[in-house]
Amino acid sequence: MSEANIVDITPFLAKHQLPLKYQYLSEQYFVPLAHDILESKKTNTPIFVAINGCQGSGKTTLADFLVTWFSKNTPLNSVALSIDDFYLAKQARTELAKDVHPLFTTRGVPGTHDVALMNSTITNLLAGEVNVPLPRFNKHEDDCVPASDWLTNEKPVDIVILEGWCVGSEPQPLFSLSEPLNELEQQFDKEGVWRRCVNSCLANEYKAVFNLIDYTVMLKAPSFSDVFTWRQEQEQKLIAKKGEGSGTMTNAQLVYFISHFERITRENLNTLSAKANALIELDSNRDISGMHLTSDDTLQPIIFTDLDGTLLDHADYNTNNISELLQQLQNAYIPVVFNTSKTFCEVIELKNDLNIQQPFIVENGAAVFIPEDYFELKPIGCKKVGAYWCYAMAKPLSSLLKDLNTLKADYKAHYKLFSDLSSEQISELTGLSDAQARRAQTRDYSDPLYWYGNDELLTAFVNDVEALGYDIKIGGRFIHIAKNTDKSAAQQWLVKQFTHHFRKPLTVIALGDSDNDKQMLEHANIAIIIANPASKKPVKLSHNKARYSQSPAPQGWIEEITSLPCISSILSISEEQTSHG
C-alpha cells in the first residue's frame, strides 16, 4: 500500500464509535474499493455510486468512509446521501396509507419516498450544479427536516453516493407476488394490493433513479434470519440504554416491522449480489468474510508496441490514422507503451504530436521513461530526467563505441553508424526530414549501424561482436547492438511497475514486425506480428504463439488491437460511460 493511501482515521473511528479493527478493514477492503470506484470513473463526468445493504450492515458508515477517503486522497468532491432522507412527510404517508393501503403507514418500503425529489437532487448533482439542496429526515420526529435547515453543495460534486436498504433493487416478476411471503402479508395483504404497489414503484419511478447508477456496492448478509437477529441486537442495546417503551420495540413488534422489508431483502440477496460491481460478504457477526470486485474478473491489458513498420508506416510515419484509437485507449486507461529503437527526443516529439502521456522505452530497451506523476511513487532505481523518471538498463553510448573500435579495421569500410550518416543519407534510408534526422541522431545508449557489405562478412562481424558479450538484432533497416539488455528486459521491468499500479492481473500485449522485436513478443501474453514487406528478416517466434496481421502498419495494428476481446470490451464500456455523461 502506498503512503498516499494510509490515512489517519482516528477521528473517523471516534465519530462513529468504531473499534480499532475498522482501521484494518479499511486498509484490507475499503481502500481497494475506493480505488476501484476511481478506476470506474473513466471520464470527467461525475459518477453515481449506490451502496445497498440491509439494516445494520454498515452501509452508512461505509459511505462516510468513502467520502472521507476521497477528500483526503484525491481532489475530487464527493457527497453521501441516504435514501432515508427522501422519506415522504408524515402527513403524505398518512394519506398514502388511507388512499392506497394501510401498510404504507410504516416508512421504508418503495412508495414511501419522495422519488421526484430524489431524482431531481441526484440529477442536478450529476449535472455539476452547485447549491443543490440536500434533503434530511428526522427519524425521531418521523418527519422531514424543514427545507431551510438543509445543507447544499458549495462546489460541483464528482462522486455522488446513495446508500439504502433498497437502493438498486429491481422489481420481481408478477407471478412471484401471487402468494404471501410471511405472516404480515398473509394477515394484512392477503389480496396482494400492497406488495404489487411496492413492486410497481420499483418498476417505474424508482427505476428512473436507479438506472442512473454507475457503480453498485452490496453489503451482503448471510441470510434474512441474520438480518432479524442484527435488528434484535440493536433493540436490546436501546432497551438497555433507554428502557422499554422509550421508542423501542418488543420482539412481536420487531417481527411485524421487519416483515415489511423481507420480500425485497430476500430478492436482493438472491439477485442483486450477482450484479453488484463490489460484493462485500458479511458473516453472522457482521464481520467481513470477503470481497469480490467484478473488475477483478477482467484482466488489465497493457500494450507494448514497436513503432516503425508496426504502429507507423515505414514510408511516411503518418500518425493521422492511428491518433484517434490511441486517444480512445488512453481515455480507457489502457497503457500503450512505445518500445522502440528510436531516441528519447524522437519519442517525445511523437508523443506530443499524438497528445498522449504514457511510459515509453527507447533505444531497444536501453532506458525506460515514466512521466513523473504517472505512478503514485517513484520507482526504485530511477533518476529524474526533465519531467520523467528514467530507469537506465544499458551503459552509456561511449562504452559501445569503445568496443567497436577494438574490432578488425576491415569491418569499418562496410558499415556506417547511424550517428555518422549524413542527413541526406538518413532521409533516403528512412524518409525522415532534417529535423527528424537530428532527433534520431541524438543518442544516449546505442548507435544502430547500416550494413552495406556482403552477407559473409556480416556473419563474421556478428560473431566478433557477440564474442564481446553483445546481442545483435537485425531490424527492418538497421543492425542493433546491445549488451545485457533488449526490448524484452525493459518491458518486463516496466510490467513489474504496473503490477503495483493496477490491482487486477495484467495481460501483456506486444506488437512488432521484425527480428528486433522477437524477445519482446516471446514474453507477451498476446504476441502480434504486423505484416511488413520491407523487413529483411521476418520474425518467427520460438516459444510463443503469435497472431499475424493481414495488413501492414498502421491498418494492421488497428485491426489486430480492436479485434482483441480484452480491448474491445473495455473500449465499449468507456464509450457507454462517455455517452452517459
Side-chain angles (χ1 to χ4, degrees):
M1 180 173 297
S2 67
E3 293 178 1
N5 298 147
I6 300 175
V7 179
D8 179 13
I9 65 169
T10 304
F12 180 84
L13 298 178
K15 173 184 176 182
H16 292 277
Q17 297 181 329
L18 296 169
L20 286 175
K21 75 173 182 180
Y22 201 90
Q23 174 84 47
Y24 165 79
L25 294 175
S26 67
E27 295 173 0
Q28 185 76 8
Y29 301 107
F30 302 149
V31 170
L33 171 62
H35 276 290
D36 198 56
I37 292 172
L38 292 178
E39 289 178 16
S40 298
K41 189 181 183 301
K42 300 293 186 182
T43 66
N44 292 326
T45 57
I47 183 173
F48 182 20
V49 179
I51 300 180
N52 176 284
C54 59
Q55 295 179 342
S57 60
K59 54 189 180 294
T60 303
T61 306
L62 174 58
D64 194 30
F65 174 86
L66 290 173
V67 169
T68 302
W69 190 91
F70 289 135
S71 68
K72 296 289 185 181
N73 289 276
T74 75
L76 302 177
N77 184 32
S78 59
V79 62
L81 306 173
S82 172
I83 198 170
D84 293 355
D85 284 321
F86 293 96
Y87 281 136
L88 292 169
K90 183 187 296 184
Q91 181 60 37
R93 283 182 283 115
T94 300
E95 293 175 3
L96 185 67
K98 179 181 178 181
D99 297 338
V100 182
H101 195 282
L103 284 180
F104 281 115
T105 301
T106 301
R107 67 172 189 259
V109 297
T112 61
H113 301 90
D114 188 339
V115 183
L117 176 61
M118 179 164 51
N119 197 349
S120 63
T121 300
I122 293 172
T123 301
N124 291 338
L125 290 173
L126 293 175
E129 295 186 14
V130 296
N131 298 320
V132 177
L134 306 179
R136 291 168 55 201
F137 189 87
N138 188 323
K139 292 183 179 179
H140 181 70
E141 296 182 2
D142 191 25
D143 213 344
C144 301
V145 172
S148 58
D149 294 334
W150 294 357
L151 300 176
T152 61
N153 62 311
E154 297 180 354
K155 56 182 181 179
V157 175
D158 303 289
I159 303 173
V160 179
I161 300 173
L162 177 67
E163 57 89 1
W165 77 275
C166 66
V167 172
S169 299
E170 297 181 351
Q172 294 179 273
L174 292 179
F175 67 83
S176 66
L177 304 175
S178 59
E179 297 297 327
L181 177 71
N182 53 33
E183 187 176 341
L184 173 91
E185 293 185 0
Q186 176 66 41
Q187 185 174 354
F188 299 102
D189 189 39
K190 195 169 185 177
E191 301 301 322
V193 174
W194 173 75
R195 55 184 181 269
R196 283 185 172 84
C197 184
V198 169
N199 200 63
S200 177
C201 290
L202 280 180
N204 293 286
E205 57 263 38
Y206 283 75
K207 185 177 181 180
V209 177
F210 297 162
N211 278 348
L212 300 174
I213 295 170
D214 300 298
Y215 189 104
T216 301
V217 183
M218 183 180 188
L219 293 158
K220 183 183 179 183
S223 67
F224 184 77
S225 61
D226 289 288
V227 176
F228 176 78
T229 302
W230 296 348
R231 190 64 179 81
Q232 193 175 43
E233 290 173 355
Q234 288 180 327
E235 285 302 313
Q236 290 171 350
K237 290 180 181 179
L238 285 173
I239 291 173
K241 184 177 181 179
K242 296 183 177 181
E244 292 185 2
S246 301
T248 62
M249 288 185 278
T250 65
N251 272 348
Q253 291 172 324
L254 184 59
V255 169
Y256 173 83
F257 172 73
I258 206 167
S259 293
H260 289 73
F261 314 108
E262 182 174 358
R263 177 176 289 276
I264 293 177
T265 300
R266 287 187 182 276
E267 181 70 11
N268 286 341
L269 292 176
N270 292 329
T271 60
L272 187 59
S273 58
K275 300 176 182 178
N277 300 87
L279 177 63
I280 300 175
E281 298 194 77
L282 309 175
D283 61 21
S284 296
N285 296 317
R286 280 185 282 187
D287 290 327
I288 297 176
S289 59
M291 179 174 74
H292 176 256
L293 305 177
T294 56
S295 62
D296 288 342
D297 298 333
T298 304
L299 300 179
Q300 170 64 47
I302 299 179
I303 301 171
F304 289 82
T305 182
D306 175 54
L307 293 178
D308 297 351
T310 299
L311 181 71
L312 306 175
D313 190 319
H314 256 310
D316 58 17
Y317 306 103
N318 192 297
T319 61
N320 291 338
N321 291 338
I322 201 70
S323 177
E324 181 180 353
L325 177 55
L326 289 177
Q327 282 297 319
Q328 290 175 351
L329 292 167
Q330 179 169 260
N331 293 338
Y333 292 82
I334 300 175
V336 178
V337 178
F338 296 164
N339 196 353
T340 176
S341 61
K342 290 184 180 295
T343 66
F344 175 83
C345 294
E346 289 180 284
V347 176
I348 290 298
E349 182 70 15
L350 179 62
K351 282 164 51 64
N352 290 340
D353 184 42
L354 291 167
N355 190 30
I356 60 173
Q357 277 297 308
Q358 302 285 357
F360 57 92
I361 300 168
V362 301
E363 300 190 43
N364 288 310
V368 182
F369 288 89
I370 304 169
E372 60 179 330
D373 57 351
Y374 192 82
F375 295 132
E376 289 181 343
L377 299 176
K378 180 188 80 170
I380 297 173
C382 288
K383 67 177 182 179
K384 187 81 176 299
V385 176
Y388 296 87
W389 296 114
C390 173
Y391 186 84
M393 307 193 74
K395 292 183 178 180
L397 176 58
S398 58
S399 178
L400 169 62
L401 299 179
K402 181 179 178 181
D403 286 339
L404 288 177
N405 285 332
T406 66
L407 300 177
K408 296 176 184 178
D410 294 349
Y411 293 138
K412 290 189 177 180
H414 298 279
Y415 74 81
K416 269 197 172 184
L417 291 170
F418 190 85
S419 58
D420 292 335
L421 294 170
S422 66
S423 59
E424 291 80 7
Q425 289 173 313
I426 293 177
S427 294
E428 183 179 347
L429 290 169
T430 66
L432 297 174
S433 66
D434 286 346
Q436 291 171 327
R438 285 193 295 272
R439 285 191 289 269
Q441 289 180 300
T442 307
R443 313 192 70 82
D444 298 308
Y445 304 98
S446 64
D447 204 349
L449 57 88
Y450 179 72
W451 184 266
Y452 47 87
N454 60 48
D455 290 344
E456 184 179 350
L457 192 60
L458 174 60
T459 300
F461 174 77
V462 168
N463 290 336
D464 286 351
V465 172
E466 288 179 341
L468 295 175
Y470 287 92
D471 295 317
I472 289 187
K473 298 287 182 292
I474 310 295
R477 294 190 182 95
F478 297 95
I479 296 174
H480 303 275
I481 304 172
K483 180 181 284 187
N484 299 326
T485 186
D486 54 40
K487 288 185 174 183
S488 171
Q491 171 182 292
Q492 291 179 73
W493 180 86
L494 188 52
V495 166
K496 289 182 180 179
Q497 312 314 309
F498 275 116
T499 59
H500 303 301
H501 182 66
F502 291 106
R503 290 187 65 256
K504 61 186 70 173
L506 308 179
T507 294
V508 177
I509 304 164
L511 301 96
D513 71 296
S514 71
D515 191 57
N516 187 41
D517 304 312
K518 181 176 179 178
Q519 288 179 293
M520 174 183 76
L521 293 164
E522 293 277 21
H523 286 88
N525 300 113
I526 301 174
I528 301 174
I529 298 173
I530 302 299
N532 183 5
S535 179
K536 294 179 180 178
K537 187 178 180 181
V539 60
K540 293 183 179 180
L541 303 188
S542 304
H543 311 294
N544 199 2
K545 293 182 179 180
R547 296 165 56 108
Y548 292 84
S549 74
Q550 297 298 311
S551 306
Q555 190 59 34
W557 199 97
I558 295 171
E559 290 171 353
E560 289 297 321
I561 285 296
T562 54
S563 67
L564 294 175
C566 63
I567 299 291
S568 59
S569 61
I570 296 175
L571 290 182
S572 63
I573 292 173
S574 180
E575 289 175 4
E576 288 176 7
Q577 291 176 332
T578 301
S579 175
H580 170 72

